[in-house]
Amino acid sequence: MELSKKELEIFEKINLYERHSNISNQYRFEDKLKDYSNDKTIEIVKELGYSAKYRKKEKFFQIIETIDGIKFYFHFSLEYGMVEVIIFWEYENNKDLSGGGLLSVVCKLIEIAKNEEKEGYIKDACFRNYEDLKNILREYFLIYEDLKTEVLKVDWDEEDDVKDSE
C-alpha cells in the first residue's frame, strides 16, 4: 500500500504528519480516563460543531459529510483512554479516487514516500479527562477541515494519478 501523488500533496499541504505527531507528543499521559461516557463524548463533539453517531458494534464514533460528490469520514475510537483517529474520503462516482485512513498508518506511509521511515508508528494521543478529550478532538477537527478544503481543490479527473488496485 502506498500513497498516490495527490494524497501525499494533500497531506503535505495540511502538514498532517507534524500536526498528528504534535498532538501525540502533547497528550502523553500515564493516568488515562478509561471509563468515558459515549453520551458525554457526543456532547463534546456537538459543542465542537459536529454531529456524531456511536457505532456500538464497531466501538467507534462516526461523522460522515458529503460535499460536492465526495464523502468525508471522521471516525474515532477512545479505547483505553487513547484517541485513535481515522480520516478518509471517497469520490462517490469513482471509488478508486479515495484516500486517507488511520492517521498513524497514513503518517507511516508519508515517511515511506519521503524515504524518511522511522521505527514504529506515531502513538495515539491520551486523555485524562473530558477537557483533554475536547482539546484533542478540536485539533483533529482542524486537520479534518483542512483536509476537506484541500481534497475539494484537487482535479480528480486527471488520469495520471489514479491508484493501482493492488
Side-chain angles (χ1 to χ4, degrees):
M1 186 175 153
E2 64 183 53
L3 298 175
S4 70
K5 291 176 198 168
K6 289 181 182 179
E7 282 179 288
L8 184 58
E9 286 173 15
I10 289 167
F11 297 141
E12 286 183 329
K13 279 183 183 177
I14 67 171
N15 208 12
L16 176 71
Y17 186 94
E18 289 77 13
R19 290 166 81 181
H20 178 54
S21 180
N22 289 342
I23 295 167
S24 172
N25 291 333
Q26 184 177 354
Y27 293 94
R28 302 267 11 114
F29 304 113
E30 293 295 320
D31 183 29
K32 301 174 206 158
L33 179 65
K34 294 179 181 153
D35 295 323
Y36 63 90
S37 158
N38 290 340
D39 291 337
K40 178 67 176 162
T41 301
I42 287 185
E43 183 181 308
I44 289 170
V45 170
K46 192 172 188 171
E47 286 174 27
L48 294 170
Y50 297 89
S51 177
K53 292 179 181 174
Y54 183 70
R55 299 289 181 202
K56 189 174 182 177
K57 186 176 179 183
E58 297 90 354
K59 297 182 181 176
F60 69 83
F61 296 85
Q62 178 181 59
I63 297 168
I64 301 174
E65 300 175 287
T66 301
I67 305 169
D68 293 343
I70 300 174
K71 266 192 172 171
F72 293 94
Y73 301 84
F74 184 103
H75 298 173
F76 66 97
S77 68
L78 303 178
E79 295 292 311
Y80 312 109
M82 297 183 293
V83 181
E84 182 181 65
V85 176
I86 302 171
I87 301 175
F88 64 102
W89 69 90
E90 81 185 359
Y91 192 69
E92 288 184 326
N93 296 331
N94 186 343
K95 302 299 183 209
D96 288 336
L97 299 178
S98 62
L102 181 63
L103 289 190
S104 59
V105 173
V106 170
C107 287
K108 179 55 72 177
L109 293 173
I110 291 170
E111 289 175 8
I112 292 167
K114 294 171 81 175
N115 214 13
E116 299 173 0
E117 190 171 2
K118 298 174 177 90
E119 189 173 316
Y121 291 83
I122 296 173
K123 297 188 182 324
D124 294 329
C126 303
F127 60 100
R128 304 165 292 188
N129 51 49
Y130 290 112
E131 192 60 33
D132 286 345
L133 178 58
K134 185 174 186 177
N135 290 331
I136 291 166
L137 289 175
R138 180 181 293 118
E139 291 301 314
Y140 281 121
F141 285 141
L142 290 171
I143 293 170
Y144 176 61
E145 288 302 320
D146 289 347
L147 177 86
K148 290 189 302 185
T149 298
E150 291 304 319
V151 167
L152 290 167
K153 289 179 184 177
V154 173
D155 180 1
W156 294 105
D157 292 329
E158 292 178 16
E159 292 186 34
D160 60 336
D161 198 39
V162 174
K163 282 189 192 179
D164 294 330
S165 55
E166 296 177 24

